Amino acid sequence: MSEKALREHNVLSESERKNESTNKGSLMNNCTENGTENLQGCQKKSHASLVPSIADGDHPTNGGGEVGTLEIEYIESEDLTDVKDVDAALKSISAGLESKDWLLVCDTLNNVRRLALYHKEVMLDMAGDLITLLVKSLKNPRSAVCKTAIMTSTDIINAYNDQLINFLDPLLVQLLLKASQDKKFVCEAAEKALVAMTTWVSPTLLLPKLQPYLKNRNPRIRAKASVCFCRSVPHLGMEGIKAYGIDKLIQTAASQLSDQLPESREAARTLLLELQTMYKKSQDLAPSSVSDFSEMSSWEDFCQSQLSPLNALSVLRATGSACESAVLGS
């Protein structure tokens, strides 16, 4: 190789080495930058997991307008711990539930749940105001606030039972509405609250509250009310049914047999079977014990005496009684 060619080869080799070094440096910088971005992403995710927030499509925005990805943790009742400062938690309820900061609202609702579980006597005097604020949270369009409020309703019902009866109406209608909507996780929470209501509130007090919703214009609300009505009646017991009026209960159930939604019709059938069982049991008792409960000799005769021919036929079909010809011929 000539001396000139050798010099050109050395110059070219040195240039290639520089380019290679530059490319490696750029590659290393890119890797470092990507690593930093990944680390920051992990840090953001870690931070988000520590902050109670929302799921199910609700995306809070940060101060700069950036959409957040926070997810709220819904705490089951058995996992709630006691509040550290009862007085401070009690004093913060009103401001917390009226706040525009939804995270603060959720945190305050969880404190209300803790107080209901561990110190229910301290909130009894403010039950009316508390229900008003709770209903406001139930109406909140943000689903995290709504579900936490429903869970709060369940704990309050479990804690106070019949003591809530004078304030129950606005809470009842919201729970029926939430149980009737399409958002599954909200609907399931509302169903659980309604089960608590029919379990822990005396049926003699609850049934009159449910009665108007059996005729509501919204068929879904009618259906949920029918289910609650059906679930509450057995808690009356035989004496309670006698006091309430089995004729009224049969008439109510009969009116639901022709309702629009299958859920309502099925609840009516279940209730009628329960009433039929109660009626037949009453016939096995001493006559002196049942004189005020049933005057007819059979379930079929009793239904015919209390209902129109068509309604009586529907009830007897629903309860498996075979006297259709007698009903149609009356």
Side-chain angles (χ1 to χ4, degrees), residues 90-135:
L90 193 63
K91 292 177 181 178
S92 66
I93 289 176
S94 180
L97 295 184
E98 291 180 337
S99 173
K100 294 182 179 180
D101 181 349
W102 66 272
L103 289 175
L104 178 58
V105 174
C106 288
D107 188 54
T108 305
L109 286 168
N110 282 327
N111 279 340
V112 170
R113 298 174 66 199
R114 293 182 175 96
L115 289 170
L117 289 171
Y118 294 99
H119 309 279
K120 64 178 185 179
E121 67 284 349
V122 303
M123 292 197 300
L124 185 57
D125 291 339
M126 58 179 294
D129 293 334
L130 178 61
I131 294 298
T132 299
L133 293 171
L134 183 56
V135 167

Side-chain angles (χ1 to χ4, degrees), residues 32-256:
T32 303
E33 289 173 359
N34 290 336
T36 302
E37 289 175 356
N38 291 335
L39 177 61
Q40 290 174 346
C42 292
Q43 288 174 340
K44 287 181 180 178
K45 290 180 181 178
S46 176
H47 176 68
S49 67
L50 297 176
V51 181
S53 59
I54 190 161
D56 194 54
D58 288 328
H59 299 294
T61 56
N62 299 328
E66 180 184 354
V67 177
T69 57
L70 304 179
E71 294 183 357
I72 196 159
E73 179 184 5
Y74 300 109
I75 308 172
E76 296 299 326
S77 301
E78 57 269 21
D79 296 326
L80 286 168
T81 57
D82 195 359
V83 295
K84 294 181 179 180
D85 189 333
V86 175
D87 290 336
L90 193 63
K91 292 177 181 178
S92 66
I93 289 176
S94 180
L97 295 184
E98 291 180 337
S99 173
K100 294 182 179 180
D101 181 349
W102 66 272
L103 289 175
L104 178 58
V105 174
C106 288
D107 188 54
T108 305
L109 286 168
N110 282 327
N111 279 340
V112 170
R113 298 174 66 199
R114 293 182 175 96
L115 289 170
L117 289 171
Y118 294 99
H119 309 279
K120 64 178 185 179
E121 67 284 349
V122 303
M123 292 197 300
L124 185 57
D125 291 339
M126 58 179 294
D129 293 334
L130 178 61
I131 294 298
T132 299
L133 293 171
L134 183 56
V135 167
K136 180 180 178 181
S137 294
L138 287 168
K139 294 178 179 180
N140 194 297
R142 192 178 290 278
S143 50
V145 175
C146 181
K147 179 173 179 177
T148 307
I150 294 171
M151 297 174 76
T152 306
S153 302
T154 303
D155 290 327
I156 287 178
I157 291 167
N158 288 339
Y160 295 107
N161 315 140
D162 293 352
Q163 294 172 304
L164 292 177
I165 197 64
N166 292 331
F167 317 108
L168 197 61
D169 290 301
L171 185 61
L172 174 59
V173 66
Q174 286 301 314
L175 292 177
L176 290 172
L177 282 168
K178 300 308 176 185
S180 305
Q181 67 171 245
D182 295 326
K183 193 166 287 185
K184 185 178 179 181
F185 83 115
V186 172
C187 181
E188 288 175 348
E191 291 274 11
K192 186 175 180 180
L194 290 172
V195 169
M197 187 177 292
T198 55
T199 301
W200 297 110
V201 178
S202 298
T204 52
L205 300 175
L206 182 60
L207 292 176
K209 299 285 186 182
L210 288 168
Q211 194 90 38
Y213 297 105
L214 297 175
K215 299 179 180 180
N216 193 277
R217 290 181 298 177
N218 186 329
R220 290 188 176 186
I221 290 180
R222 289 200 306 272
K224 296 303 179 183
S226 294
V227 172
C228 291
F229 198 91
C230 170
R231 194 186 295 126
S232 185
V233 167
H235 294 295
L236 283 169
M238 190 173 294
E239 289 300 317
I241 289 177
K242 179 173 68 175
Y244 192 90
I246 190 172
D247 53 337
K248 296 178 182 178
L249 294 171
I250 290 176
Q251 290 163 9
T252 298
S255 69
Q256 300 301 301

Side-chain angles (χ1 to χ4, degrees), residues 303-324:
C303 289
Q304 291 178 59
S305 70
Q306 299 297 324
L307 302 168
S308 68
L310 287 179
N311 280 346
L313 178 60
S314 298
V315 168
L316 294 175
R317 282 176 173 172
T319 56
S321 301
C323 75
E324 296 181 15

